Amino acid sequence: MRPLQAKINLSALKHNFGVVRGHAPQSRTIAVIKANGYGHGMLRVARALEAAEGYAVLNVGEAVALREAGFKQAILLLEGFFSADELPTLAEHRLASVIHCQEQIEMLEMAGLPVKINVFLKLNSGMNRLGFRPEAFGAALQRLQAARSVGQITLMTHFACADEVQGIAAQLACFDRLATGLDAPRSLANSAAILRFPQAHGDWVRPGIMLYGSSPFADTSAVSLDLKPVMTLTSAIIGLQDLPAGEAVGYGATFRAEQPTRAGIVACGYADGYPRHAPTGTPVLVNGQRSRILGRVSMDMLCVDLTGISGAGIGSPVVLWGEGLPVEEIAAAAGTISYELLCALAARVPVVEV
């Protein structure tokens, strides 16, 4: 059997949920488990986070799968429903929906549903992605309050720069200006805001990346935030090459040895979800010792430097990210973010719970 696998540490997942609780003890938690639980397995993550009061997913299919698996918590559709045909399913399975455009309100006004649907009315407070602009927010709220198919209304926004130097001040001020005096629950904080801006915690927090043990901040490590990696991507050395000085390795000959170099071939490539654009020098652990990638990542394999790695040979264990090697480091080397790497884990990679 090919040695590549992703190990999912459920104890670490529960620990990270405890960090959320510690930062926002007065708020209820909607655990964001879209994108197949950020690559960790949606149902697996939901089971481990049964203490959460709610889950957030992308679409109706994911939400129904949670209900059919027996989960009773609130379930929120982060992009809402996409057609009126989905509304009966929302009512049947008691699914909550983000409302971000006039067309969704019109569908609700026209629907004759047997039960009311809880909604999260989204304010576009500055991200300019989804949501009602401030001048349209009040009218949207009034229409939802009058709609017979609408139950509880929660006021919601999403921060664009909670992980950046500029922070959330302008967006929070916009939200507070419109929400002041309104008797409705509030949901604002993503992982970065949970950790840095307690004034934005509100009634519901929406942790995502921090649950999976990765820092939402480029300048702050997960370890310093007491977050533990949940996914560890491991493999092994399956081939060896001794490169004389001047010889290259891999497609495009992008790495050429300046001195005699012992290279190891690892069973992992971009078809498994490892970033093809990770350059020479991207860190890797071999036999628990820090080393580096050499040359271009292939579809099924990549090459690592074994020079000076004691005891390295065929079968030596390799950690590509996770325990002992933060996924943020790999992402930074590859010019991306940890979210992308975790979500990109390929279906062909075996997943085991530890």
Side-chain angles (χ1 to χ4, degrees):
M1 177 180 289
R2 191 165 180 251
L4 181 67
Q5 64 178 5
K7 299 176 181 178
I8 306 299
N9 187 330
L10 299 182
S11 295
L13 185 61
K14 294 175 182 179
H15 169 87
N16 297 336
F17 181 76
V19 175
V20 174
R21 291 290 210 211
H23 280 270
Q26 305 303 316
S27 303
R28 289 173 288 176
T29 301
I30 298 176
V32 180
I33 59 174
K34 62 180 179 177
N36 193 31
Y38 285 44
H40 295 69
M42 182 184 73
L43 294 178
R44 177 182 297 111
V45 171
R47 285 193 299 269
L49 301 181
E50 286 182 322
E53 290 85 1
Y55 303 109
V57 295
L58 183 68
N59 57 47
V60 170
E62 292 171 334
V64 171
L66 286 169
R67 285 285 183 249
E68 291 179 343
F71 293 97
K72 308 296 184 184
Q73 293 92 329
I75 299 176
L76 176 64
L77 304 176
L78 284 172
E79 290 184 3
F81 53 91
F82 300 100
S83 71
D85 293 342
E86 292 182 321
L87 287 172
T89 302
L90 269 66
E92 177 186 356
H93 293 282
R94 298 176 292 105
L95 307 178
S97 176
V98 167
I99 302 298
H100 59 78
C101 64
Q102 297 285 353
E103 288 76 9
Q104 289 175 317
I105 296 179
E106 292 169 3
M107 292 180 216
L108 283 169
E109 289 172 334
M110 303 264 309
L113 299 176
V115 297
K116 295 178 182 291
I117 293 174
N118 293 336
V119 300
F120 282 56
L121 176 60
K122 190 165 192 176
L123 170 68
N124 174 12
S125 59
M127 188 163 184
N128 289 316
R129 198 171 60 177
L130 296 179
F132 292 88
R133 295 188 65 82
E135 59 270 20
F137 189 73
L141 176 59
Q142 290 179 356
R143 289 178 66 183
L144 288 173
Q145 289 171 331
R148 290 177 295 177
S149 294
V150 173
Q152 184 178 67
I153 301 171
T154 298
L155 308 181
M156 174 188 188
T157 197
H158 190 62
F159 296 125
C161 299
D163 59 330
E164 303 286 347
V165 174
Q166 56 263 56
I168 67 169
Q171 284 191 262
L172 183 59
C174 176
F175 182 89
D176 284 343
R177 175 171 56 83
L178 292 167
T180 296
L182 298 177
D183 184 19
R186 305 180 183 191
S187 178
L188 300 88
N190 56 4
S191 291
I194 290 168
L195 292 167
R196 283 194 176 169
F197 301 106
Q199 66 271 33
H201 287 170
D203 300 282
W204 290 96
V205 292
R206 306 190 306 270
I209 194 65
M210 68 181 296
L211 291 173
Y212 306 101
S214 180
S215 171
F217 308 112
D219 60 351
T220 307
S221 70
V223 171
S224 69
L225 297 170
D226 192 29
L227 299 174
K228 297 182 178 181
V230 178
M231 180 193 295
T232 298
L233 186 63
T234 67
S235 189
I237 303 296
I238 62 170
L240 299 169
Q241 294 292 336
D242 290 302
L243 305 177
E247 285 207 7
V249 65
Y251 287 118
T254 60
F255 171 80
R256 195 170 296 276
E258 296 181 355
Q259 58 190 15
T261 300
R262 189 162 177 78
I265 310 305
V266 180
C268 181
Y270 61 77
D272 300 300
Y274 198 89
R276 180 181 181 273
H277 43 285
T280 292
T282 299
V284 64
L285 297 181
V286 181
N287 276 355
Q289 302 169 70
R290 197 174 179 92
S291 187
R292 60 175 182 152
I293 286 178
L294 302 177
R296 187 172 292 166
V297 175
S298 301
M299 181 180 289
D300 309 307
M301 291 172 280
L302 54 83
C303 185
V304 298
D305 191 352
L306 299 183
T307 308
I309 303 295
S310 60
I314 298 294
S316 291
V318 174
V319 173
L320 297 151
W321 67 62
E323 190 66 37
L325 184 63
V327 66
E328 301 101 293
E329 283 196 46
I330 314 308
T336 185
I337 56 177
S338 58
Y339 303 70
E340 182 179 10
L341 300 190
L342 297 175
C343 292
L345 185 73
R348 76 179 192 174
V349 178
V351 176
V352 296
E353 297 178 9
V354 298

